[in-house]
């Protein structure tokens, strides 16, 4: 990269703000999350390490939030199987808990440093990674430039570029090229994503599919599942999961409209951000509906209308309580949320039309008949009612959704094929390092 290009890029990043820089989402998210962090580990945000660096080669894997973290777990496990150490950074407390639950102490976990030069330099000076693997759309300009200056190969995996980000980048192609030329390889989720990265100057680009498809279904506490199933009994159920503002009220209104047709109906509402639970409980309660909160351990009674799933890490529990799931951020907001977890668990998937962030997954599900898109609340209510009444149609959708996920698998092996030339030399170094100690 030319010095002029680097200066221009950094000036834009430092002064123009998120509106002018389409992939500053991680930094903006961090600013929004202040006060919700692990206070005992705040120093890690400034690049101050919480642990010693292990001997031998080290691969840095970064995944910002819960979805990205879950997606890279099988990838990290594969790398660990080669005998190479991994430091996995995440951006949120919730994603850090996922690392602990699914990987334990097999990896080093740190919070990702702020994308400012002092923090990034401290982080890299201490950990000295031999390879950096970045998940999805996590583009940190300063970090990428610092890694580039140190000649550390950087690979973007499960790469995704939204319509909005692509439109913004196209207005500043010289800046995009100055940044993306630092990536040794981009492994994109879909052909559309791949072509967008190529247009913006990334080389080479490989299309692998979505790593999230190659993850196991979300786990469940079997004891908790059996307790809730006994409480629910034979009542009809449906769920609205990963919901955003406005969609929870909509779900409650649909419940109120359908419960006369379906006596005993239980609606399961799982907000994307459980911190909103208190507000939602008041809002739904004011509608005359009886609600229980999972986080408070409140049992589901015979007259309970709404189970509010206000806990973290229990999506596998909620989805196993129903056969119909509306996936949020698709009616009252834009972009959509991941439909693959409901599909994995034999669930008929419903969503609004604003699912651009998961375009490929929804296309596959729609083509096979595993999902249906609705335009508004009334159409969603009609779809839920139809699936509750028609068992054959419901089971056809459930089977199609599960089959679609099965057919989409293979992203992990395709990604590892791309990573192999970068990882294999490190495998040799790791073996030599262990032999030297012996």
């Amino acid at each position: 990269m030319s010095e002029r290009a680097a200066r221009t890029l950094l000036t834009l990043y430092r002064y123009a703000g998120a509106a002018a820089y389409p992939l500053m989402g991680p930094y903006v998210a961090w600013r929004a999350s202040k006060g919700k962090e692990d206070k005992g580990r705040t120093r890690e945000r400034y690049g101050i390490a919480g642990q010693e660096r292990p001997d031998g080669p080290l691969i840095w894997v970064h995944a910002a939030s819960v979805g990205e973290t879950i997606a890279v777990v099988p990838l990290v496990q594969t790398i660990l199987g080669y005998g190479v150490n991994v430091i996995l950074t995440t951006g949120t407390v919730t994603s850090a808990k996922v690392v602990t639950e699914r990987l334990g102490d097999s990896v080093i976990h740190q919070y990702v440093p702020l994308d400012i030069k002092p923090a990034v330099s401290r982080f890299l000076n201490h950990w000295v990674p031999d390879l950096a693997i970045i998940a999805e759309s996590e583009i940190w300009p300063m970090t990428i430039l610092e890694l580039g200056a140190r000649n550390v190969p950087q690979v973007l995996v499960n790469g995704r570029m939204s319509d909005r980000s692509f439109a913004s980048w196209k207005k500043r192609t010289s800046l995009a090229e100055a940044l993306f030329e630092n990536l040794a390889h981009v492994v994109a989720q879909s052909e559309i994503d791949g072509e967008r990265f190529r247009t913006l100057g990334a080389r080479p680009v490989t299309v692998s599919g979505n790593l999230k498809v190659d993850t196991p279904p979300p786990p469940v506490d079997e004891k908790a599942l059996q307790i809730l199933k006994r409480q629910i009994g034979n009542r009809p159920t449906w769920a609205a999961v990963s919901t955003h503002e406005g969609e929870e009220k909509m779900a409650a209104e649909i419940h109120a409209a359908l419960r006369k047709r379906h006596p005993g109906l239980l609606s399961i509402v799982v907000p994307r951000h459980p911190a909103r639970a208190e507000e939602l409980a008041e809002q739904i309660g004011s509608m005359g509906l009886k609600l229980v909160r999972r986080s408070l351990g409140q049992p589901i009674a015979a007259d309970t209308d709404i189970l509010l799933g206000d806990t973290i890490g229990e999506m596998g529990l909620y989805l196993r309580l129903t056969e119909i799931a509306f996936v949020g951020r698709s009616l009252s907001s834009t972009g959509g949320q991941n439909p693959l977890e409901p599909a994995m668990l034999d669930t008929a998937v419903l969503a609004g039309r604003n699912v651009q962030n998961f375009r490929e997954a929804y296309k596959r599900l729609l083509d096979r008949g595993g999902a249906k898109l609705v335009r508004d609340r009334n159409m969603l209510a009609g779809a839920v009612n139809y699936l509750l009444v028609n068992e054959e149609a419901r089971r056809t959708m459930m089977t199609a959704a599960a089959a679609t996920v099965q057919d989409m698998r293979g992203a992990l092996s395709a990604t590892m094929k791309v990573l192999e030339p970068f990882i294999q030399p490190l495998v040799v170094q790791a073996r030599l390092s262990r032999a030297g100690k012996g």
Side-chain angles (χ1 to χ4, degrees):
M1 180 198 323
S2 69
E3 182 179 349
R4 179 181 178 183
R7 273 204 311 272
T8 304
L9 180 63
L10 292 176
T11 299
L12 176 62
Y13 178 59
R14 192 172 295 153
Y15 300 115
Y21 198 88
L23 293 182
M24 275 184 65
Y27 179 74
V28 175
W30 175 80
R31 294 289 300 177
S33 69
K34 289 189 74 176
K36 303 175 184 177
E37 297 216 335
D38 186 339
K39 294 182 180 179
R41 298 175 61 182
T42 303
R43 289 159 57 92
E44 293 172 20
R45 291 294 197 181
Y46 298 93
I48 301 172
Q51 300 182 45
E52 291 297 316
R53 185 196 190 281
D55 294 332
L58 180 67
I59 295 176
W60 174 21
V61 179
H62 174 64
S65 60
V66 172
E68 291 77 23
T69 303
I70 292 172
V72 301
V73 165
L75 179 69
V76 170
Q77 290 171 327
T78 303
I79 294 172
L80 291 171
Y82 291 144
V84 180
N85 289 312
V86 173
I87 174 172
L88 176 55
T89 58
T90 63
T92 65
V93 173
T94 309
S95 52
K97 290 179 180 177
V98 170
V99 175
T100 300
E101 291 169 359
R102 304 205 177 188
L103 292 168
D105 58 3
S106 64
V107 298
I108 300 166
H109 175 266
Q110 297 280 278
Y111 286 109
V112 68
L114 293 174
D115 198 40
I116 53 179
K117 186 173 176 59
V120 174
S121 293
R122 283 191 208 101
F123 180 89
L124 295 178
N125 287 342
H126 178 83
W127 296 108
V128 195
D130 297 279
L131 170 65
I133 300 173
I134 308 160
E136 296 212 8
S137 55
E138 282 295 277
I139 305 299
W140 293 71
M142 181 63 74
T143 300
I144 288 175
L145 294 175
E146 281 293 301
L147 286 166
R150 296 169 189 239
N151 296 315
V152 178
Q154 306 173 62
V155 181
L156 179 67
V157 301
N158 219 38
R160 176 173 60 86
M161 183 165 288
S162 69
D163 296 346
R164 183 177 180 182
S165 290
F166 182 57
S168 297
W169 275 121
K170 283 185 70 176
K171 296 175 184 177
R172 7 183 122 71
T173 53
S174 61
L175 293 171
E177 290 173 0
L179 185 64
F180 290 120
E181 70 178 12
N182 286 274
L183 299 177
H185 208 121
V186 171
V187 187
Q189 289 187 21
S190 70
E191 292 292 347
I192 291 176
D193 293 311
E195 188 54 40
R196 287 176 174 180
F197 280 110
R198 291 187 193 100
T199 299
L200 297 174
R203 297 289 190 280
V205 177
T206 300
V207 176
S208 69
N210 194 335
L211 279 176
K212 291 177 180 176
V213 182
D214 283 5
T215 60
V220 66
D221 180 330
E222 285 293 339
K223 182 178 179 181
L225 176 63
Q226 294 309 315
I227 290 173
L228 290 185
K229 280 188 171 182
R230 284 197 296 270
Q231 293 175 359
I232 296 171
N234 294 321
R235 297 175 61 180
T237 65
W238 76 287
V241 302
S242 298
T243 52
H244 286 241
E245 186 172 356
E247 291 173 332
E248 297 89 2
K249 181 181 179 183
M250 177 188 66
E253 290 170 343
I254 289 172
H255 175 90
L258 294 181
R259 61 179 174 175
K260 290 183 180 178
R261 299 183 188 180
H262 303 279
L265 178 65
L266 176 70
S267 297
I268 303 162
V269 179
V270 186
R272 174 68 172 171
H273 303 293
R276 299 173 51 234
E278 193 71 36
E279 166 197 344
L280 294 175
E282 291 182 10
Q283 182 183 61
I284 293 172
S286 69
M287 298 169 63
L289 299 175
K290 295 187 177 181
L291 173 146
V292 297
R293 292 175 57 181
R294 169 69 179 157
S295 66
L296 301 180
Q298 297 170 332
I300 300 169
D303 60 351
T304 298
D305 292 296
I306 306 285
L307 167 62
L308 186 62
D310 57 343
T311 54
I312 293 171
E314 289 195 309
M315 185 62 77
L317 172 67
Y318 302 123
L319 289 174
R320 286 176 172 88
L321 296 175
T322 189
E323 296 179 344
I324 306 167
F326 164 77
V327 182
R329 199 186 177 188
S330 59
L331 273 178
S332 69
S333 189
T334 60
Q337 295 289 170
N338 180 16
L340 296 173
E341 288 185 340
M344 286 178 191
L345 291 172
D346 300 324
T347 305
V349 177
L350 302 172
R353 295 180 175 180
N354 302 314
V355 292
Q356 300 90 334
N357 289 351
F358 297 90
R359 181 185 286 110
E360 182 68 16
Y362 274 104
K363 182 181 183 304
R364 298 283 195 96
L365 286 166
L366 290 167
D367 287 347
R368 291 286 295 267
K372 179 180 176 60
L373 300 186
V374 299
R375 69 174 169 269
D376 54 28
R377 181 192 65 182
N378 290 340
M379 191 173 176
L380 175 59
V384 172
N385 177 64
Y386 176 78
L387 291 173
L388 286 171
V389 169
N390 294 276
E391 182 178 358
E392 184 177 352
R394 183 173 74 247
R395 296 210 171 276
T396 297
M397 281 188 71
M398 293 162 58
T399 301
T404 301
V405 172
Q406 188 61 38
D407 288 348
M408 290 173 67
R409 294 189 187 279
L412 178 59
S413 60
T415 301
M416 289 307 302
K417 185 175 181 180
V418 170
L419 290 173
E420 187 174 354
F422 301 97
I423 294 176
Q424 281 305 317
L426 304 181
V427 173
V428 174
Q429 290 180 36
R431 290 172 180 170
L432 291 173
S433 176
R434 288 192 295 270
K437 288 182 181 180

